[in-house]
Amino acid sequence: MIRHPRKTDFPVSAVRRYLEPGPIVLVSSHWRGAHNIMTLGWHVVLEFTPSLIGLMISSGNHSFELIRASGECVVNLPTTALTDIVVGIGNTSGAEIDKFAHFGLTAEKATAVAAPLIAECHAAFECRLHDDALVDKYNFFIFEVVKAHVAARPKHPQTLHYTGDGVFMVAGKTVSRKSLFRPGML
Amino acid sequence: MIRHPRKTDFPVSAVRRYLEPGPIVLVSSHWRGAHNIMTLGWHVVLEFTPSLIGLMISSGNHSFELIRASGECVVNLPTTALTDIVVGIGNTSGAEIDKFAHFGLTAEKATAVAAPLIAECHAAFECRLHDDALVDKYNFFIFEVVKAHVAARPKHPQTLHYTGDGVFMVAGKTVSRKSLFRPGML
């Protein structure tokens, strides 16, 4: 089915390259032999070094307890090749099905966390819980990205950006204004 | 210069329509007669009702103190019509210039906050500080969107999504999978 992109190591301080434009991500988790995947749109970059990102993971999700108990997850970046799977994962519960098996996805061993990478995704970011101060009140987890795996090509993957009402915006053309940026502002 | 889009009221619980896909925004602020604008890419939707969003506003920005002191801001959504202005605002400091005057932008009176709307933007969300628990540690402000103004057209504006290194991705084509969504998951 979907081709596995070959991924190489990527500097964790530069994950904004993939996360700042706000694509939909697939979050994989593992706890005591169980794993799961959820579709997530609500995330934010918080710091370069350490590489911090915030994820709003609703407590209604089956993944919430796995992530809360393990303090770990992997943020995987799907492209349009996975559009229907992204919707399917959002529509189903890991309490009822094994999402890797059901959607024909490949769980790959991560380096620093027990949660698996999703081989079919363009990039995968291994995350360890950094601060849970806002979990009880907002379901907002602050994670440190401890290892990043990114496919070398394409440089600008066709990511999905949810706009509500069942409609995704697909990443479009790129425009460079590099020459206008002050040094240090890139 | 840039045409002012005519904006109408919009339900605050639906701001994800514009903010979940992670576009670059312009944050305007006001405190004791001074106003300012900053370019921001690091933001996240946190809740529908109340309508909560999180903004990572680095303390190095002139806007930080204005927003911290007033507990208010307006999140404005620029389109590609403002690309060079978005870069220019990110390159300059409100400590040195009046950004509204310098960039020829129109400050419009907001309804619920003292910070001005930027008339040339496609949408504007009036925000009031909801929780500053993570401001000291992460410069992360949680705001409630108390009033939303959105231009009726185009339905899918050409927003800018920063990808680092001076390059923006422009919002691309849209794909609907509405028919595949379970009710309540939209």
Side-chain angles (χ1 to χ4, degrees):
Chain A
M1 49 167 298
I2 304 141
R3 212 166 62 84
H4 299 196
R6 203 175 67 82
K7 290 188 271 288
T8 54
D9 286 357
F10 188 78
V12 291
S13 64
V15 295
R16 72 181 282 179
R17 167 73 185 73
Y18 294 94
L19 292 177
E20 184 169 343
I24 283 281
V25 296
L26 296 174
V27 181
S28 47
S29 51
H30 175 97
W31 178 241
R32 293 188 177 166
H35 57 204
N36 196 25
I37 314 174
M38 69 174 291
T39 299
L40 180 83
W42 293 6
H43 53 85
V44 61
V45 182
L46 291 171
E47 183 59 270
F48 293 118
T49 308
S51 177
L52 300 182
I53 60 176
L55 308 187
M56 209 304 290
I57 300 173
S58 173
S59 59
N61 287 283
H62 184 63
S63 295
F64 181 90
E65 288 305 332
L66 275 63
I67 292 168
R68 174 134 230 201
S70 65
E72 294 177 350
C73 71
V74 177
V75 173
N76 302 272
L77 183 72
T79 63
T80 47
L82 298 179
T83 304
D84 289 352
I85 290 178
V86 163
V87 176
I89 287 173
N91 270 341
T92 50
S93 170
E96 289 155 19
I97 58 166
D98 177 330
K99 297 200 191 183
F100 279 96
H102 186 84
F103 294 105
L105 296 171
T106 312
E108 269 184 354
K109 211 171 152 40
T111 307
V113 302
L117 316 180
I118 302 173
E120 288 80 3
C121 285
H122 178 81
F125 307 115
E126 301 184 27
C127 297
R128 215 175 271 138
L129 188 61
H130 179 80
D131 196 328
D132 66 357
L134 292 190
V135 170
D136 285 342
K137 204 161 169 189
Y138 298 104
N139 299 325
F140 186 71
F141 295 76
I142 297 179
F143 285 104
E144 180 179 353
V145 181
V146 292
K147 182 81 180 171
H149 311 264
V150 174
R153 273 177 303 275
K155 194 175 171 197
H156 296 288
Q158 281 218 306
T159 46
L160 293 160
H161 303 248
Y162 193 57
T163 69
D165 207 32
V167 175
F168 296 90
M169 181 270 283
V170 177
K173 64 176 178 154
T174 56
V175 294
S176 178
R177 288 294 185 277
K178 191 166 180 176
S179 61
L180 298 183
F181 276 67
R182 269 201 340 214
M185 300 301 280
L186 294 168
Chain B
M1 48 166 299
I2 305 141
R3 211 168 61 85
H4 299 197
R6 203 174 68 82
K7 290 188 272 287
T8 53
D9 285 358
F10 188 78
V12 291
S13 65
V15 294
R16 72 181 286 179
R17 168 72 185 77
Y18 294 94
L19 291 177
E20 186 169 340
I24 282 279
V25 295
L26 295 175
V27 181
S28 46
S29 50
H30 176 96
W31 178 242
R32 294 190 177 164
H35 56 203
N36 196 25
I37 315 173
M38 69 174 291
T39 299
L40 181 84
W42 293 6
H43 54 85
V44 61
V45 182
L46 290 170
E47 184 60 90
F48 292 118
T49 307
S51 178
L52 300 182
I53 60 175
L55 308 187
M56 209 304 290
I57 300 174
S58 174
S59 59
N61 286 285
H62 183 64
S63 294
F64 181 90
E65 288 305 333
L66 275 63
I67 292 169
R68 176 134 228 203
S70 64
E72 297 178 348
C73 69
V74 177
V75 173
N76 303 273
L77 184 70
T79 61
T80 48
L82 298 179
T83 305
D84 290 350
I85 289 177
V86 163
V87 176
I89 287 173
N91 270 340
T92 49
S93 171
E96 289 155 20
I97 58 167
D98 177 329
K99 297 200 193 184
F100 279 96
H102 186 84
F103 294 106
L105 296 170
T106 312
E108 270 185 354
K109 209 169 154 44
T111 306
V113 302
L117 317 179
I118 301 173
E120 287 80 3
C121 284
H122 179 81
F125 308 115
E126 301 184 27
C127 297
R128 214 174 273 138
L129 188 61
H130 179 81
D131 195 328
D132 65 357
L134 293 189
V135 171
D136 285 342
K137 206 163 167 190
Y138 298 104
N139 298 326
F140 186 70
F141 293 75
I142 297 180
F143 285 102
E144 179 179 353
V145 180
V146 291
K147 182 80 181 171
H149 312 264
V150 174
R153 271 177 304 273
K155 193 174 173 199
H156 296 287
Q158 282 219 304
T159 46
L160 293 160
H161 303 249
Y162 193 56
T163 70
D165 206 31
V167 176
F168 296 89
M169 181 269 282
V170 177
K173 63 176 179 159
T174 56
V175 295
S176 177
R177 288 293 184 278
K178 189 165 181 176
S179 61
L180 299 182
F181 276 67
R182 272 202 335 218
M185 301 300 280
L186 293 170

